[in-house]
Structures are given as C-alpha cells and as structure tokens.
Amino acid sequence: MRATGTTPGATAGTTTDASAGTPAGTGTNPPAGTGTGSARRRLPWAVVGLWIVVLAVSGVFAGKLNGVKHDDGIDYLPASAQSTQVARIQKEMSGGSATDMVLVYDRAGGLTAADRATADRQTAALEKAYPTVGTKAAPVASKDGRTLIVPVSVAESAGKPEDVVKAVRDRLAADRPAGLTIDVGGPGAAQADAKEVFASIDGTLLISTAGIVALLLILTYRSPFLWLVPLAVVGVAAGTAMALVYGMVQAFGLTVSDMSSSVMTVLIFGAGTDYALLLIARYRDELRRIPKPYDAMRAALRGVGPAVLTSAATVVAGLLCLLAADLNSSRGLGPVGAVGIVCSLAAMTTLLPAVLVLLGRRVFWPLIPAYGTQSRAGRGVYRRIGTFVVGRPVAVLAASAVAVGALALGIGNLPGALHQDDTFTSAPESVAADHVLHRAFPERSTQAITIVVPTDRAAAAKAAVSGTAGVASAATGRSGGGWTEISAYPAAAPDTAGEKDTIARLRAATAADHGLVGGASAQRIDTASTSSRDARLVIPLVLAAVFLLLAALLRSLVAPLLLTVAMVGVWAAALGIGGLIFGPVLGFHGMDPGLPLLSFVFLVALGVDYGIFLMHRMREEARQGADPRRSTVVALESTGGVIASAGIVLAATFTVLASLPLVMMVEMGLVIALGVLLDTFVVRTFLVPAATTLLGARTWSPSTFTPRVPPIPPTP
C-alpha cells in the first residue's frame, strides 16, 4: 500500500525504478526471480528478437519486389474483355506485343523539303535499328502542310517499351533541324511515359509518407522520442509486407503493379499509424492506474485488441472482396493491400508493445504519465461536444445528415471517363504529340483500332471491316498462332462518341468471323464498362462483409447497420466533393472509371475503424451500467482525441497520392482523404453519437446488458 497523500512517480523524494517509473518498496512489484517477473523481462526481448530475425530475412527479398512488378496494359485491363484477349493474342504473335508509336513532325511555318528528308532518313534508320511488326505504314501529311506523321511499330523483342521509346526520342532529338518539333506519341509512348512516372513513385511516396507521418506524430505526442517508435515499427511492417508480396509473386504468380504497390505503402503507413495511436493512447491511460508497464500494456491490449483486430479484419475483408472484380488492376490490388494490413496489425500488436514495455515510461518524456494521476489533456473539448450532442440529438442528427446529403449532390457534377490525353497532371511528350495530332488532323483518327480474326476468315473479316460505317481505312497486318491482325482507322477522333460507335459496329460486324476488337480506345471502353459491373458486384460484398464483422464485435444488428449506412453516406459525400473540385478547381476533364469502387472499398473498410473505436468504447460503458447518454459522452471524451489524430494521419497519408503526376492517383487520394476527414470530424463526432443517443438501449439490439455492478465489500 502506498502512503496516503503521495503520488508515486510524481512526488519528490520518492525513489523510482529506472525502467518502469514505479515507486520502490510500494509492494506492487512481484519478488525478483518469480516466474511472472521473469516473463516480464523475457517476453518483450523474445518478441523483439523474433522481429529482428523477420526483418533480416525480409530485407533480403523486399528490394526484389521492384523487379517483379508489371505495368503492361494487360495488367490493368478487364480480364475477360475483347481488348484484353486481343493484347494476349498479339503477345503470342511473331515479334510479340508491339510498341506502337507515332512520330510527329511539326513546323509552324510549314514543313520544308529538308524536314521531309529528315523524316525519311530517321524512319529508315529506326527500321534498321529495331525489328518492326506489321505492314509499314506510309507517312501522312496534314492539309495545312505543317505536320507529318509516321506510324512505327517496334517488336517486343527490341526491349521494354520505356527503353525503346526513350532510345527513339534520343535518336530523333540528336538529328533535328532548327525550328522543327519532333514528338513521339501513340499508345506505346503513352505507356512508356506512365511507366516513367510510376518508376519515380516508390521513393517519392515512401519519403513523403514517412515525413508526413513523422511530423504528425511529433505534433500529437509532443515528445522528441516517442514518435520514432511507431514510425520505426511501421517501417518494419512495410519491409515485411514487401518481402511477403515478393514471395507470393514467386509462389502463386501474383501480379503486382506500381499502383497496387503504391497503395499498399499508403495503407501500411496510414492504418499502421492508426493502430499505434489507439494502442499508445490506451497504454498511456493504463500507465496512470497500473504501476508496471508490462501489466499496463497487457491491460491496453485487452482493451483495444478486439477493436483493432476487427478494424484490420474489415479492411482485409473489404480488400479481398476485390478478388471478385473483373478489372485486373482492382483484383490484383486486393491481396497486395491485404498483406500490408496484416503486416501492420502484426507489427503494431506485438513489436510495438514489446518496444514500449522495454523503454518504460521514459519514452513519453517530457509528458510522462505518472502512476496514480489523471490526464485531462484534449478531453475537455470532446466532453463538451458530447454534452452538446446528447442535449440536442435531433437537431445535431438533422444538421449533420443534411450536410452529408448536400455534399453528396456534387456527384452529379463528376466529369466523364478519363481520356488518354488527360491521364497526367502535367503533359509528357506523348500527350504533347496527341495535341498536335488533334489540331492537324481534326477530320480523322491517327490511332488504329486493332482487330484479330482467325487467319482462315481474314479475307471476309477485312471486307466486313472496310465496309463498316465510320471506318476511314483498313489494312491487314501480321499473322501468327492461327490469328491475323487487321488495323482499322476510324473517321472520328479518339475518345469521341463517334469512335465509340465505330468500335461497337466493328464488334458486331466481325462477330460472325469470330473477330475480337482491341486497341487503346477499345481498352478504355472495356475498362469503363467493367468498372461499372465490378462496382455493382463488389460493393454489396464489401457491405455484407463489414456488416457481419461489426455484428460479431458489437453483438448487435442496429449498431452495425448505423455505422454501415453512415459510411455509405461519407463515401457519397466524398465523391460529391470530388465533383465540386475535380473540374471547377483542378481542371481535370475526366475521372478514372475505377475510382467509385476503389474509394468505396477504402472509405468503408478504413473509415469504419473509427466507428469501431467509438462504438466499442460506448459498448464497454453500457456494459458497466452507464445510461446511453453517459455512454456517448464518455466514449466521445475517451476516443475523440485519438480518433481525430488517427483521422488526420490517415487523411494525410492518402493526400500524398495527390502529389503524384497521375490524375487517377490525385483523384483517389483526394476523395479518400476528404472522406476520412468528413468521417472523423462530422460523422463520428456528431452524426453517430446523436443517432445512438436517440436510439438509446436499442442501439445494441437484440443484445441486452446486465450492468456489471462492483461487488459489495464484506462488512469488517
């Protein structure tokens, strides 16, 4: 028993254990050498030692992940679409998949004879330097005489598309007359430019994400040391996840793209830091009522363990639902992201607790939580918010619901499908070439539609293609593997309604000859339609999985339904905000067709975390016998600060995606970040507490609680 009127760990003159901050001689410590004391010393060191081994092994393989990434068009296309089948057939033909480029020569005052000679000389040199596929296409000059285009298709055997395009650009730049602009465009060049952007993402993304998380942790903990612990543990989780994903590639042939790898990095830092914030906040509270860090950590893990486990399970379940998607990029993202979440959970519930226990209370310096004290830091605000909400639940619920609903109306202002020219936030050379082509050839397309047909039906199919309305010209290309290529040039410009109608007519015209229609424009059409189909299938699966997990944790049907409906509202409002800023503010002319589905999965699976933290604490209070209003106030007071910190960290990590030069990444990062902030500061702070106040005990229906009343002490 401690002396009355003293505060161990805080009172002057009290001797303290250096490692734990516990008063010596208080009688709370077990005798030295007991099994419990030995376990307290051995277990944390054993856990740290195990993770050191894991880190040593994973370090060997994590760096190899970059070498097995794939960013070919086929890795993003719909698995069963015609355009994907065309790409696969072309890959098996002689020369393999082609790097299709368009050399664009342009002079403002009109092309000179020397310019045309330069084009002939350069084209001939390229044909000697690289193996080409298909029939050589003749150069085409614009009506105004200032632009000349030369289509070139380099065989896959020449090297990676990005390497080929770079080499071609270097060759052309070295032999360019003054005043002549030479750009390399076309689908192959666009793919190479995208690959170059993705190649620079990993380092930028990792450094930016780590920097933002470190800054926010410093501001949150106001400690020169504590922020290093969760950040280091997140780094260990990231390295482990990379190694595991590499192993899955080798063992199961998992396809990993730069996009899925980038999203995994953001998930690990965002979700892992959230778990750390929740655990450390609870651990700090337990240190004020439990003298030993080991015992305090055990209590903290018991308190937050179910919520963190369910939180991670909802994210993993949501991501694995993407396996039902037909879009390759979405389906591949599922297991990659799930591995990242599992590694984050494992590190934050084993390595982080072990390190914190070994470091003792001193890691919180200068704000060391002294045993026997109470902290009110940051809780007064949420206590006042809770009191306000339970005092006016109808008005608060109505106001927050109207705000979310009003923002959701912005969905009607979302731009249409993203065009090829609008893929990048700053135009690379391939986009500059497309702009020249659109100006020089407004009356026709310079991008071929590729049709593959069985070789024995090639003649009939060629006639059908040539006779299709909207086709300006058609030519037979290479054959191989029983298939023959036909290149059709539509009269309409790329990404227009006219071109889409032409593709639809070509598919109908060649169906009798078992033809398949592909090419860059067909790929975008198939991607958009498949994304819509995937959303209709995957969204209900995610909702069902999240609802079932919440029901298992909260032992209720009403509370999970409330949280699920709230998250759907957040998702709609976040997309609505996107509709208000994508075009009017950022100047984006299109939206990636996969954005609605991916943003839904991330916002529902990640955003429901905060609902779990809040409702789990609310349920704890209800089980202790607190009335619904008090349960709401106490839950908000206890979790409001940590949820706010976690929401800001998670939103900040996804905002890093907005710094990347790809419109798709910017849009996804902004929608998810805005949705997380809306969920954190509106839905979890006002809407959900107001709804639970009005529902009262029905929130936990069909469960009923028998309050846990402390036993009456025996009469002396």
Side-chain angles (χ1 to χ4, degrees), residues 335-672:
V336 173
V339 168
I341 293 297
V342 170
C343 289
S344 294
L345 175 68
M348 292 304 168
T349 54
T350 57
L351 179 59
L352 178 63
V355 173
L356 289 174
V357 168
L358 291 174
L359 292 175
R361 297 174 188 264
R362 66 170 73 89
V363 73
F364 290 95
W365 186 87
L367 303 176
I368 299 176
Y371 170 52
T373 63
Q374 289 187 347
S375 172
R376 311 305 298 171
R379 295 191 173 190
V381 173
Y382 283 94
R383 184 176 66 251
R384 289 192 292 272
I385 290 175
T387 302
F388 173 79
V389 169
V390 300
R392 304 168 182 81
V394 175
V396 171
L397 179 61
S400 52
V402 168
V404 172
L407 290 173
L409 295 177
I411 290 178
N413 199 46
L414 285 170
L418 193 65
H419 295 169
Q420 179 175 309
D421 290 356
D422 302 322
T423 302
F424 305 92
T425 56
S426 57
E429 186 173 327
S430 60
V431 173
D434 284 346
H435 290 165
V436 174
L437 294 176
H438 295 333
R439 175 193 53 76
F441 302 94
E443 76 285 354
R444 58 161 292 177
S445 174
T446 57
Q447 182 171 281
I449 298 170
T450 303
I451 303 101
V452 295
V453 296
T455 300
D456 59 355
R457 309 294 295 268
K462 167 72 182 311
V465 169
S466 299
T468 300
V471 174
S473 62
T476 302
R478 56 182 171 158
S479 297
W483 295 88
T484 296
E485 284 181 342
I486 300 174
S487 296
Y489 287 89
D495 291 323
T496 61
E499 186 194 43
K500 292 178 182 178
D501 292 341
T502 300
I503 291 173
R505 287 192 290 267
L506 282 171
R507 285 178 168 170
T510 58
D513 296 310
H514 307 290
L516 300 169
V517 179
S521 295
Q523 290 169 2
R524 287 190 289 277
I525 293 172
D526 290 341
T527 298
S529 62
T530 304
S531 295
S532 178
R533 172 262 178 198
D534 287 347
R536 293 192 298 270
L537 173 63
V538 175
I539 285 177
L541 289 177
V542 174
L543 288 175
V546 169
F547 179 84
L548 292 174
L549 287 168
L550 289 175
L553 172 72
L554 301 175
R555 294 176 176 81
S556 165
L557 297 178
V558 176
L561 182 61
L562 171 62
L563 292 178
T564 304
V565 170
M567 279 313 310
V568 172
V570 168
W571 168 67
L575 279 181
I577 298 174
L580 298 176
I581 65 174
F582 287 167
V585 178
L586 301 177
F588 294 160
H589 302 295
M591 181 185 74
D592 186 84
L595 177 64
L597 174 59
L598 294 181
S599 62
F600 180 86
V601 171
F602 288 127
L603 277 177
V604 171
L606 288 170
V608 82
D609 289 1
Y610 307 141
I612 290 173
F613 301 157
L614 177 68
M615 298 293 276
H616 187 257
R617 187 56 183 265
M618 205 177 289
R619 189 175 187 277
E620 283 186 12
E621 295 300 321
R623 286 174 60 85
Q624 296 295 334
D627 65 79
R629 291 175 180 266
R630 175 169 172 74
S631 296
T632 300
V633 174
V634 172
L636 266 178
E637 181 182 4
S638 302
T639 66
V642 69
I643 287 178
S645 299
I648 292 172
V649 169
L650 186 60
T653 54
F654 272 96
T655 303
V656 174
L657 292 178
S659 67
L660 303 178
L662 288 170
V663 170
M664 171 187 66
M665 290 294 201
V666 174
E667 290 177 341
M668 183 164 66
L670 287 179
V671 166
I672 296 175

